[in-house]
């Protein structure tokens, strides 16, 4: 198929790969980077603004965009032509502004079962791991794996850590994990293989809220260390994340209990 001209000032040419008459995967970069993230966000925004007939869903990832169509409304060649037209105008599209979201994290005791192991692995103290993890600024590259689970890029190189050899069958909700150069918060109890170094009392996903996920693609995220006593107080009150007050305060640090 004809390839689209380079977009976003990048030499990379988007690659369309149809896996069925319904689904096409568009590669927008050959490497994970901030520039790739910007291209994916701009492409997603462009496709959404185009209001392509028959488009059912658009799912972004680190370097790709997966589009699902209703083949009864639009066949594959027509769908691809519409997407190419949308991407051709992607460069001038303004990507939505990013927000900063502060996530309180307890790095103590059973909230952080892998913290000491991670520290030993890197020749650091546990305080050193906490300082590195909580002082960095992260970007929510995309939401996947489970509703509300944001893959956060920006983990310091000094904390690059392999996944567990044997994943846990249950990770408690709110657990903060690291794997490779990623970090993230498990929004619900699920199996998982990331190393757990902390836990937040925030409810990261709640289908009953107007905006179910605390984090959305493009958010800037910081982690704020809190004590176990603070964790227990916030978790008990569910302050900061529930109801109209909580929704209005998304992205702000909680008040001291």
């Amino acid at each position: 198929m004809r390839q689209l001209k380079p977009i976003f000032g990048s030499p990379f040419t988007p690659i369309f790969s149809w896996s069925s008459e319904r689904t096409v995967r568009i590669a927008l970069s050959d490497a994970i980077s901030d520039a790739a993230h910007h291209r994916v966000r701009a492409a997603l925004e462009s496709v959404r603004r185009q209001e392509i007939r028959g488009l059912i869903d658009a799912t972004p990832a680190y370097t790709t965009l997966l589009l699902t169509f209703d083949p009864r409304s639009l066949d594959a060649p027509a769908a691809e032509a519409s997407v190419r037209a949308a991407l051709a105008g992607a460069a001038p599209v303004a990507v939505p502004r990013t927000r900063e979201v502060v996530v309180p994290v307890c790095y103590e005791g059973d909230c952080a079962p892998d913290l000491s192991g991670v520290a030993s692995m890197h020749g650091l103290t546990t305080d050193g791991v906490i300082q590195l993890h909580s002082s960095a600024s992260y970007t929510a590259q995309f939401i996947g794996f489970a509703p509300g689970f944001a893959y956060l890029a920006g983990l310091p190189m000094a904390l690059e850590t392999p996944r567990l050899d044997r994943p846990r069958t249950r990770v408690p909700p709110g657990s903060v994990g690291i794997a490779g150069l990623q970090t993230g918060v498990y929004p619900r109890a699920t199996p998982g293989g990331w190393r757990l170094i902390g836990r937040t009392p925030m409810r990261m996903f709640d289908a009953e809220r107007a905006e179910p996920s605390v984090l959305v693609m493009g958010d800037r995220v910081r982690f704020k260390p809190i004590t176990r006593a603070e964790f227990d107080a916030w978790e008990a009150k569910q302050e900061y994340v529930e109801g109209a007050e909580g929704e209005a305060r998304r992205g702000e640090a909680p008040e001291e209990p």
Side-chain angles (χ1 to χ4, degrees), residues 150-216:
Y151 286 82
L152 304 178
L155 189 71
M157 291 287 293
L159 292 181
E160 183 176 5
T161 305
R163 289 169 170 79
L164 295 170
D165 293 333
R166 184 186 294 269
R168 290 180 170 87
T169 57
R170 183 184 185 279
V171 174
S175 294
V176 177
I178 60 175
L181 284 173
Q182 305 171 110
T183 189
V185 183
Y186 287 83
R188 63 197 332 176
T190 63
W194 290 24
R195 295 179 192 263
L196 309 181
I197 63 169
R199 193 176 175 196
T200 179
M202 288 181 68
R203 187 171 295 171
M204 302 303 292
F205 182 87
D206 186 342
E208 299 301 318
R209 291 197 299 246
E211 295 183 47
S213 181
V214 169
L215 299 178
V216 298

Side-chain angles (χ1 to χ4, degrees), residues 1 24 34 42 89 249 257:
M1 294 183 178
V24 62
D34 287 343
R249 292 168 58 195

Side-chain angles (χ1 to χ4, degrees), residues 44-235:
L44 176 64
E45 185 69 11
S46 296
V47 168
R48 285 175 171 170
R49 290 190 181 190
Q50 192 76 4
E51 298 183 353
I52 299 171
R53 179 168 54 88
L55 179 64
I56 297 173
D57 194 22
T59 306
Y62 278 120
T63 62
T64 62
L65 185 61
L66 184 71
L67 303 179
T68 303
F69 293 90
D70 180 352
R72 297 169 299 181
S73 299
L74 203 63
D75 61 22
E80 182 166 330
S82 296
V83 174
R84 288 183 181 277
L87 294 185
V93 171
V95 174
R97 293 178 59 187
T98 59
R99 304 173 308 155
E100 182 176 84
V101 180
V102 178
V103 178
V105 178
C106 175
Y107 295 94
E108 300 176 12
D110 60 357
C111 286
D114 298 322
L115 179 60
S116 61
V118 169
S120 178
M121 186 182 302
H122 296 296
L124 297 167
T125 63
T126 54
D127 285 344
V129 173
I130 295 168
Q131 195 280 328
L132 284 169
H133 186 261
S134 62
S135 63
S137 178
Y138 302 92
T139 301
Q141 296 276 357
F142 69 102
I143 310 297
F145 168 62
F149 186 96
Y151 286 82
L152 304 178
L155 189 71
M157 291 287 293
L159 292 181
E160 183 176 5
T161 305
R163 289 169 170 79
L164 295 170
D165 293 333
R166 184 186 294 269
R168 290 180 170 87
T169 57
R170 183 184 185 279
V171 174
S175 294
V176 177
I178 60 175
L181 284 173
Q182 305 171 110
T183 189
V185 183
Y186 287 83
R188 63 197 332 176
T190 63
W194 290 24
R195 295 179 192 263
L196 309 181
I197 63 169
R199 193 176 175 196
T200 179
M202 288 181 68
R203 187 171 295 171
M204 302 303 292
F205 182 87
D206 186 342
E208 299 301 318
R209 291 197 299 246
E211 295 183 47
S213 181
V214 169
L215 299 178
V216 298
M217 184 182 184
D219 281 346
R220 303 294 292 184
V221 180
R222 290 192 303 108
F223 293 108
K224 175 187 176 182
I226 60 173
T227 66
R228 183 54 191 258
E230 291 172 322
F231 175 92
D232 291 341
W234 276 322
E235 187 175 55

Side-chain angles (χ1 to χ4, degrees), residues 10 12 14 26-33 35-37 39-40 62-64:
S10 167
F12 187 85
I26 307 169
L28 294 158
S29 177
D30 55 4
I32 297 172
S33 65
H37 174 64
R39 289 197 291 275
V40 171
Y62 278 120
T63 62
T64 62

